[in-house]
Amino acid sequence: RKEVEQDPGPFNVPEGATVAFNCTYSNSASQSFFWYRQDCRKEPKLLMSVYSSGNEDGRFTAQLNRASQYISLLIRDSKLSDSATYLCVVTPASGGSYIPTFGRGTSLIVHP
Amino acid sequence: DAGVIQSPRHEVTEMGQEVTLRCKPISGHDYLFWYRQTMMRGLELLIYFNNNVPIDDSGMPEDRFSAKMPNASFSTLKIQPSEPRDSAVYFCASSLGVGLATPDTQYFGPGTRLTVL
């Protein structure tokens, strides 16, 4: 099983739709979780952190389920500008070294 | 702040040549990361530094790859000799120390698109 897995998509949705992505991780000792957004031929940029209590930022909601070892990202009222690849990042606890592991990303296409 | 700066933005070279990629992290950040991104393997961490010291280089694919950080404001990733399978986008990222209010947030540079013919 890969350390961090995401459905590559693409998720093709109309403007205004609600879409959700999941990301599963294999290391139960993982400490930190994030969602990054990457536009075509650009660098990844932090979208939001994922806290145990959940995290909401405008139309975006991120949640963590430690029991089932996955994080989720919910996007409400999708905009054309939301079209991008969404990468989840998991940082496991590993002695004195921490290695952030990126998922392969989920592609979202929002169409008119 | 200008953000993380990488150079060159594009590099085309022939197999066997030496390639040097450069990175200037955000001032005050004490962690620096080098990543490689390909369609086949996604984003892979190659090596990271803390206060200019390499902490984990287990992601470096082989001895042809080396990275240095001579000071807090500059790092290089060198490939010698380069091979066609090294073709990828190489990202540098920096972050503040782990354990602060927003731990582990990484800020990426624009990347270097490397093509080895």
Side-chain angles (χ1 to χ4, degrees):
Chain A
R1 181 182 177 186
K2 295 180 182 176
E3 289 188 54
V4 178
E5 290 197 66
Q6 295 183 251
D7 181 343
F11 285 64
N12 206 319
V13 303
E15 274 186 291
T18 295
V19 63
F21 313 133
N22 282 344
C23 169
T24 59
Y25 60 94
S26 59
N27 189 335
S28 60
S30 296
Q31 286 186 324
S32 304
F33 308 87
F34 305 87
W35 283 102
Y36 278 71
R37 169 191 170 130
Q38 186 172 24
D39 292 295
C40 186
R41 301 181 76 84
K42 298 287 189 180
E43 72 273 22
K45 293 183 178 179
L46 179 69
L47 179 65
M48 59 197 309
S49 304
V50 187
Y51 305 125
S52 297
S53 57
N55 188 22
E56 185 171 322
D57 183 3
R59 299 182 293 108
F60 298 83
T61 300
Q63 292 192 315
L64 167 64
N65 186 317
R66 285 194 182 272
S68 301
Q69 294 183 204
Y70 73 87
I71 62 173
S72 63
L73 178 67
L74 180 77
I75 305 175
R76 291 180 296 276
D77 189 22
S78 299
K79 311 293 185 189
L80 296 177
S81 58
D82 294 334
S83 298
T85 296
Y86 292 83
L87 305 167
C88 69
V89 186
V90 175
T91 302
S94 178
S97 173
Y98 86 107
I99 308 296
T101 303
F102 281 75
R104 294 287 301 276
T106 296
S107 175
L108 172 65
I109 301 171
V110 182
H111 59 82
Chain B
D1 199 311
V4 177
I5 298 173
Q6 290 187 248
S7 65
R9 295 292 303 276
H10 301 273
E11 178 80 30
V12 181
T13 191
E14 293 187 344
M15 183 173 62
Q17 297 297 308
E18 177 179 296
V19 175
T20 300
L21 312 181
R22 297 172 176 79
C23 175
K24 176 178 168 56
I26 293 172
S27 178
H29 283 190
D30 47 13
Y31 281 81
L32 184 140
F33 306 82
W34 281 103
Y35 289 89
R36 176 173 68 177
Q37 187 173 39
T38 62
M39 289 294 292
M40 291 293 292
R41 301 175 67 87
L43 198 62
E44 302 173 281
L45 178 66
L46 301 177
I47 184 172
Y48 80 93
F49 296 82
N50 180 22
N51 293 320
N52 314 338
V53 177
I55 302 300
D56 196 308
D57 64 355
S58 58
M60 296 284 263
E62 48 196 277
D63 291 346
R64 298 185 297 106
F65 286 69
S66 62
K68 295 181 180 180
M69 192 166 185
N71 57 62
S73 59
F74 183 66
S75 177
T76 60
L77 178 67
K78 186 176 293 186
I79 308 172
Q80 167 64 16
S82 58
E83 297 182 2
R85 60 193 168 120
D86 301 331
S87 297
V89 180
Y90 290 81
F91 288 106
C92 175
S94 70
S95 74
L96 289 169
V98 176
L100 299 181
T102 309
D104 305 351
T105 300
Q106 295 178 59
Y107 297 86
F108 283 76
T112 295
R113 189 169 297 274
L114 174 66
T115 302
V116 183
L117 303 174

